[in-house]
């Protein structure tokens, strides 16, 4: 019996050494020496044939060898698992020292980014940012701005009319009216937002973005308007920018003006963009008409104010050298991704 056990142990040592760190071969060795058909199981069955004196020692010897084999196999299984991991890391083509791929990031639309920057400049100057409805009534869009029903200047606005006296606002000026209705001077505000007009061609869209600034207080003059414009455009484009006012007529201001800035493409020398004049027209401006103050219940004998407006789309296009208006509304990612935030 002891000879048989010694033979089994020798065979097992040889087999487990040969199996090495190969998990499948270790498993085969386990089945061969601990399975139901193993030589140890066969010896156990023969215990009954031994005498009562021999039986306990033989049983103990078998169990000892069984435990020894179990332990060796557990060790071999652990070794095999560690070896497999090592092998996998060596075979793998992943270089864990490479920096990670950065996630895809969106960007702000150039019109939105321009609007945000203008808002920031005005906010730094102490202005509030005001918004209002895009579906307006006739009073806020026209009448309160000194444009009574038969006024010829209404024709210039190409309005989208809705049911009743509703319409799509043609400018952001109704937000000025609503702010003056609800607040008393001093008022320093800007109102950015979408506006709508029926004229659209190569250089106009039926929907575009305006920003208007309004200041109302005692003793406000045209000089404050000019000074504020200078500051805003110098902050936006740089200290080299010059601004100028030209007399013009708008029903809601008196006196009224159009204003220009020196061409940022040629620096004022004259080029194709500025049609050789050295100046680019940006929008309308002027001192708030007394009739507008009366419409919102502010005494024009006590208070005065100025306002000016601009087209955000136009400024975004000039800033980035965009020459086709349609690019702004096509939402082509190839175009938009050129303006990283
Ligand atoms: Zn120019």
């Amino acid at each position: 019996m002891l000879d048989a056990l010694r033979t089994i142990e020798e065979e097992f040592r040889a087999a487990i050494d040969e199996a090495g760190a190969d998990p499948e071969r270790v498993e085969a060795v386990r089945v061969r020496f601990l399975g139901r058909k193993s030589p140890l199981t066969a010896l156990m069955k023969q215990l009954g044939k031994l005498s009562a004196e021999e039986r306990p020692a033989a049983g103990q010897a078998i169990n000892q060898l069984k435990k020894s084999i179990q332990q060796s196999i557990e060790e071999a299984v652990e070794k095999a698992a560690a070896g497999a991991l090592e092998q996998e890391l060596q075979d793998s083509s992943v270089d864990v020292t490479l920096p990670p791929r950065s996630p895809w990031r969106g960007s702000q639309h150039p019109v939105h980014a321009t609007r945000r920057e203008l808002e920031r400049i005005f906010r730094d100057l102490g202005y509030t940012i005001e918004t209002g409805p895009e579906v307006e009534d006739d009073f806020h869009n026209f009448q309160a701005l000194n444009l009574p029903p038969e006024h010829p200047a209404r024709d210039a606005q190409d309005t989208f009319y809705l049911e009743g006296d509703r319409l799509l606002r043609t400018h952001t000026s109704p937000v000025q009216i609503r702010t003056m209705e609800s607040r008393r001077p001093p008022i320093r505000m800007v109102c950015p937002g979408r506006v709508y007009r029926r004229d659209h061609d190569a250089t106009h869209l039926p929907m575009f973005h305006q920003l208007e600034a309004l200041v109302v207080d005692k003793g406000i003059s045209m000089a404050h308007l000019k000074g504020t414009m200078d500051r805003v455009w110098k902050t936006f484009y740089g200290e080299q920018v010059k601004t100028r006012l030209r007399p013009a007529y708008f029903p809601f201001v008196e006196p009224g003006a159009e204003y220009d800035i020196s061409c940022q493409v040629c620096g004022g020398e004259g080029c194709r963009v500025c049609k050789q004049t050295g100046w680019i027209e940006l929008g309308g401006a002027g001192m708030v008409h007394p009739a507008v103050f009366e419409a919102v219940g502010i005494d024009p004998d006590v208070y005065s104010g100025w306002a000016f407006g601009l087209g955000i789309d136009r400024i975004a296009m000039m800033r980035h050298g965009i020459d086709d208006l349609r690019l702004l509304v096509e939402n082509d990612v190839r175009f938009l991704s050129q303006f990283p935030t």
Side-chain angles (χ1 to χ4, degrees):
M1 171 72 80
L2 289 177
D3 284 346
L5 286 176
R6 204 171 296 124
T7 309
I8 294 172
E9 185 166 13
E10 278 167 13
E11 281 175 8
F12 169 72
R13 294 293 158 208
I16 199 77
D17 280 352
E18 211 185 307
D22 183 332
E24 279 176 29
R25 292 173 71 183
V26 169
E27 173 62 11
V29 172
R30 189 189 69 77
V31 171
R32 178 176 157 198
F33 287 92
L34 295 175
R36 274 186 301 123
K37 290 176 181 171
S38 72
L40 280 179
T41 309
L43 281 180
M44 287 294 259
K45 282 174 185 163
Q46 287 171 22
L47 276 178
K49 293 178 186 166
L50 296 175
S51 67
E53 292 79 35
E54 287 172 315
R55 216 177 287 153
Q60 208 177 2
I62 293 173
N63 275 330
Q64 244 172 15
L65 179 57
K66 197 174 175 181
K67 271 186 193 163
S68 162
I69 289 176
Q70 276 171 340
Q71 200 186 338
S72 295
I73 286 186
E74 274 170 31
E75 283 168 12
V77 166
E78 272 177 35
K79 223 168 96 185
L85 181 64
E86 185 72 20
Q87 194 62 41
E88 195 183 316
L89 287 175
Q90 271 178 16
D91 292 349
S92 165
S93 61
V94 174
D95 181 351
V96 293
T97 64
L98 283 174
R101 234 176 263 172
S102 55
W104 190 84
R105 290 181 68 185
S107 57
Q108 283 187 350
H109 191 283
V111 171
H112 181 75
T114 303
R115 170 180 165 168
R116 293 293 292 269
E117 185 168 354
L118 287 166
E119 284 179 7
R120 185 184 56 77
I121 291 170
F122 279 103
R123 202 182 279 122
D124 287 352
L125 291 171
Y127 287 61
T128 60
I129 313 291
E130 308 292 343
T131 54
E134 290 173 24
V135 174
E136 265 296 357
D137 53 48
D138 194 87
F139 175 79
H140 288 94
N141 195 78
F142 289 127
Q143 291 172 44
L145 288 153
N146 199 26
L147 281 155
E150 302 307 322
H151 198 290
R154 282 194 180 207
D155 292 346
Q157 304 253 352
D158 288 312
T159 312
F160 283 109
Y161 285 100
L162 307 172
E163 282 178 14
D165 79 336
R166 301 275 150 181
L167 48 85
L168 293 179
R169 68 182 182 190
T170 56
H171 42 197
T172 48
S173 310
V175 184
Q176 297 187 28
I177 299 299
R178 290 180 180 277
T179 305
M180 287 190 285
E181 279 177 333
S182 62
R183 288 221 304 267
R184 294 296 93 181
I187 292 169
R188 279 188 299 275
M189 58 157 280
V190 289
C191 44
R194 295 189 193 93
V195 300
Y196 303 84
R197 294 194 192 182
R198 280 193 291 112
D199 64 334
H200 61 95
D201 53 41
T203 56
H204 296 87
L205 290 172
M207 186 281 289
F208 53 102
H209 299 81
Q210 267 191 349
L211 181 144
E212 291 177 337
L214 170 73
V215 168
V216 183
D217 203 349
K218 289 173 183 165
I220 295 295
S221 76
M222 206 86 175
H224 297 124
L225 168 62
K226 180 71 163 63
T228 305
M229 271 182 178
D230 273 351
R231 187 67 262 144
V232 167
W233 295 116
K234 280 183 197 302
T235 307
F236 189 81
Y237 281 116
E239 291 297 322
Q240 76 285 355
V241 174
K242 296 187 188 74
T243 55
R244 73 173 184 187
L245 296 162
R246 284 179 290 106
Y249 169 74
F250 300 102
F252 27 86
V253 283
E254 180 58 38
E258 281 175 333
Y259 72 94
D260 306 329
I261 63 166
S262 50
C263 178
Q264 294 308 294
V265 176
C266 62
E269 297 287 311
C271 68
R272 199 167 55 86
V273 174
C274 59
K275 299 188 182 91
Q276 309 304 328
T277 63
W279 296 94
I280 302 270
E281 185 191 329
L282 279 195
M287 299 303 292
V288 180
H289 199 287
V292 174
F293 280 143
E294 275 158 15
V296 296
I298 290 177
D299 187 348
D301 292 330
V302 179
Y303 293 102
S304 56
W306 57 252
F308 77 89
L310 57 94
I312 300 173
D313 313 72
R314 181 117 190 268
I315 287 162
M317 288 175 73
M318 281 197 333
R319 172 167 239 200
H320 296 293
I322 301 165
D323 57 5
D324 190 334
L325 196 58
R326 287 168 300 186
L327 288 167
L328 294 179
V329 290
E330 282 172 346
N331 276 340
D332 188 331
V333 173
R334 290 170 301 176
F335 168 74
L336 295 176
S337 62
Q338 294 173 43
F339 308 93
T341 304

